[in-house]
Amino acid sequence: MALASPLWAQNSPVVVELYTSQGCSSCPPADKILHELADREDVIALALHVDYWDYIGWKDEFADPAHAKRQRGYAIEAGRRSVYTPQMIINGTTDIVGARPMELAKAISEHAAKPALVTLSVARNGDAVSISATTTHRGDALLVHMVRYQPERTARITRGENAGHTLSYANVTQDWKILQEWDGVTALELEAQAVGEHPLVVMIQEGRTGPILAAAQIK
């Protein structure tokens, strides 16, 4: 694979995380919205399938317990007592319940208008990913996250609330890693491995579930 052009965070896309499940009858409209977001250059859309609906009759084959753990972390940060699907988290801070396109559009616009605190570049050469960043942000420790995703996956669901439906899901996440902690004082220079050709996203986030300050995507 040829060296990819760097993606710069001063034009950083807004990250939309959708917490969803194949066993949730309310989720398909939100899954459809994520398909639409996945085609946009100004948005990084990620589907995180959770496992806590598996008990009602259908095991979500894309689910990862780590996704539910991340969602619970956001709930704790926001002072919420419970988690639910579908839920969208925008740039680690804004919470949207269900499929609400107007509310989502407003949130994306508001986050896109905020000044960038981190300048981030990501380049890929084969299985090697080069990451560099600088920041004016001073606050909590920053974590460098990297996640892979499959642009489209399809599931034929035979039991549970969505029984009888074949559903398509966009940008299904997998292999979520925290690469390292970054103090933000010295410039970040990091190389990571990403074996295979699945697209990837690198994010700079306050802790595990704080505000996302920058993100870059290589498709």
Side-chain angles (χ1 to χ4, degrees), residues 60-139:
D60 189 326
E61 62 189 301
F62 307 152
D64 187 328
H67 298 164
K69 182 178 180 181
R70 181 170 171 85
Q71 188 186 22
R72 288 193 294 269
Y74 279 130
I76 292 169
E77 288 277 351
R80 293 188 296 270
R81 295 185 178 182
S82 60
V83 294
Y84 48 83
T85 57
Q87 180 189 31
M88 294 186 183
I89 303 289
I90 296 85
N91 267 4
T93 58
T94 303
D95 162 54
I96 294 177
V97 183
R100 300 182 180 181
M102 295 300 292
E103 189 174 340
L104 177 62
K106 182 175 181 289
I108 291 172
S109 179
E110 289 174 348
H111 280 280
K114 294 180 179 179
L117 298 177
V118 175
T119 299
L120 171 66
S121 65
V122 178
R124 184 175 184 179
N125 186 8
D127 294 336
V129 180
S130 299
I131 303 164
S132 60
T134 59
T135 183
T136 58
H137 173 76
R138 296 295 179 266

Side-chain angles (χ1 to χ4, degrees), residues 26-65:
S26 300
C27 287
D31 298 323
K32 183 178 179 181
I33 289 174
L34 202 79
H35 266 288
E36 296 168 359
L37 293 178
D39 292 331
R40 290 175 52 167
E41 294 298 322
D42 61 333
V43 172
I44 293 175
L46 297 172
L48 289 85
H49 285 243
V50 298
D51 61 351
Y52 51 78
W53 288 115
D54 289 358
Y55 76 94
I56 63 174
W58 177 255
K59 181 177 174 60
D60 189 326
E61 62 189 301
F62 307 152
D64 187 328

Side-chain angles (χ1 to χ4, degrees), residues 18 34 40 50 73 80 103-104 116 124 138 144 152 156 159 170 176 190 195 208 212:
L18 171 62
L34 202 79
R40 290 175 52 167
V50 298
R80 293 188 296 270
E103 189 174 340
L104 177 62
R124 184 175 184 179
R138 296 295 179 266
V144 183
E152 185 170 7
R156 181 174 176 269
R159 297 186 303 279
W176 195 300
L190 174 64
V195 178
R208 292 177 180 269
I212 295 172

